[in-house]
Amino acid sequence: MNGLQRLFTPMELDSLQGDGPIPLYHQLYQLLKQRILAGEVGYGAKLPTEAELAEGFGVSRVTAKRAMDLLVANELIQRKRGRGSHVVFRAPASDVEAPLVGMLERLAHMSRSTVVRVLHIDRRPPPANLVEELGIAADESVHYVVRVRYREDQTPFAYYESWTRGIEQGYDAAAIERRLRFDIMAENGHRIARIEQHLSAAAASAPVAEQLRLMPGDPVLTLVRYSFDTQGDLVDLLHCQYHTVHFHYRMNLSMEDYAGQGPDP
């Protein structure tokens, strides 16, 4: 599959209309711009060449060049001799609000249908870069846990590192392997009221690669989860790294609450 086929459907490749009021080059420009603004062609990504665009869309090289010229003029891409055209637009991140109860139910379901094994657990001062985030003294000890989650067929798909503060009882390897950690936190006086998550991609380090049966440097999906209690204090900081073949992150968003709020965006 070539670059154009990854970016556009066969219908889109055949969608340019030469007999309409909008010039062909502008139609092509709009298609490319939509992919860039949506973040589907990310910052630094290399675009197809003018020759590839012309052949894929069935237009002339002049048409393809004019479309690319517009992308340059609008500071969406940059051309460099010998290196091609690369995206310089950074798609802004946006927050998605969702009820916490649904997420906790999904986590409970995952804990029942998968197996977790604790590789390491101790109490220690957190790394210097996490002290301020956790809002604790530099010498205060927190629970540090490393664990791996497996599917029922013993395929590893997640590597976790967590730093948890304010836990005095019931937080040992046996409990963590059979219970939802949020329940243990609640028993220690920390009822989680808000969770903030950040998703990104990363390269697997050697320890992570070994546990997830990857090669060092292979891509992993990274999730950082901040869990706050009812007082607004950060109780738990979790770094998750997921095997991209064995784990998929899906979101179902409903438009029910948006009904009647105004015209479509």
Side-chain angles (χ1 to χ4, degrees):
M1 179 181 292
N2 62 36
L4 279 178
Q5 291 172 326
R6 285 192 295 267
L7 282 176
F8 300 102
T9 66
M11 185 175 295
E12 288 173 323
L13 290 172
D14 196 39
S15 66
L16 302 189
Q17 301 294 323
D19 55 356
I22 303 176
L24 283 172
Y25 77 88
H26 206 276
Q27 295 177 50
L28 178 55
Y29 159 73
Q30 289 290 346
L31 283 172
L32 292 166
K33 183 179 76 170
Q34 289 168 10
R35 291 293 186 274
I36 294 171
L37 294 183
E40 296 173 23
V41 186
Y43 176 82
K46 185 177 181 180
L47 287 180
T49 65
E50 293 171 4
E52 290 170 337
L53 289 170
E55 180 180 356
F57 283 95
V59 296
S60 69
R61 287 282 297 270
V62 172
T63 294
K65 182 179 184 305
R66 292 188 68 182
M68 297 291 275
D69 287 344
L70 269 181
L71 293 174
V72 172
N74 285 280
E75 300 182 346
L76 297 175
I77 69 170
Q78 186 177 77
R79 288 192 181 106
K80 289 189 177 180
R81 186 178 298 276
R83 295 184 56 193
S85 300
H86 293 77
V87 175
V88 294
F89 173 80
R90 294 180 186 268
S94 59
D95 294 337
V96 176
E97 301 291 339
L100 181 57
V101 62
M103 175 184 173
L104 295 180
E105 289 174 350
R106 289 191 293 275
L107 289 175
H109 173 74
M110 179 185 289
S111 70
R112 292 191 298 268
S113 60
T114 59
V115 175
V116 68
R117 293 177 184 163
V118 173
L119 303 182
H120 178 88
I121 181 170
D122 67 18
R123 288 181 66 101
R124 63 171 70 176
N129 63 310
L130 301 184
V131 168
E132 185 175 351
E133 288 192 272
L134 288 167
I136 62 175
D139 59 351
E140 181 179 336
S141 293
V142 299
H143 278 91
Y144 172 65
V145 181
V146 180
R147 53 202 170 101
V148 176
R149 189 173 290 279
Y150 298 80
R151 301 190 315 189
E152 291 180 338
D153 63 1
Q154 297 301 304
T155 300
F157 69 89
Y159 181 97
Y160 303 133
E161 288 182 278
S162 60
W163 293 265
T164 311
R165 60 185 294 265
I167 302 295
E168 300 299 331
Q169 59 184 5
Y171 202 74
D172 54 33
I176 293 170
E177 288 182 348
R178 63 182 174 83
R179 302 187 61 194
L180 197 63
R181 290 188 316 122
F182 288 139
D183 291 339
I184 303 175
M185 294 177 203
E187 291 170 1
N188 281 267
H190 298 293
R191 188 168 298 279
I192 301 304
R194 182 172 69 87
I195 287 177
E196 181 180 316
Q197 297 190 145
H198 301 258
L199 279 170
S200 61
S205 64
V208 174
E210 179 182 0
Q211 294 298 327
L212 297 185
R213 301 173 191 170
L214 294 166
M215 295 295 293
D218 280 352
V220 289
L221 176 66
T222 298
L223 183 148
V224 181
R225 177 181 298 152
Y226 301 83
S227 299
F228 300 87
D229 64 13
T230 54
Q231 304 302 312
D233 294 324
L234 179 61
V235 175
D236 184 76
L237 179 56
L238 175 68
H239 285 197
C240 314
Q241 297 189 66
Y242 295 103
H243 193 305
T244 57
V245 172
H246 303 305
F247 180 85
H248 300 277
Y249 193 88
R250 183 178 67 186
M251 298 180 66
N252 292 316
L253 304 177
S254 172
M255 290 294 288
E256 291 180 3
D257 295 335
Y258 187 76
Q261 298 300 310
D264 290 342

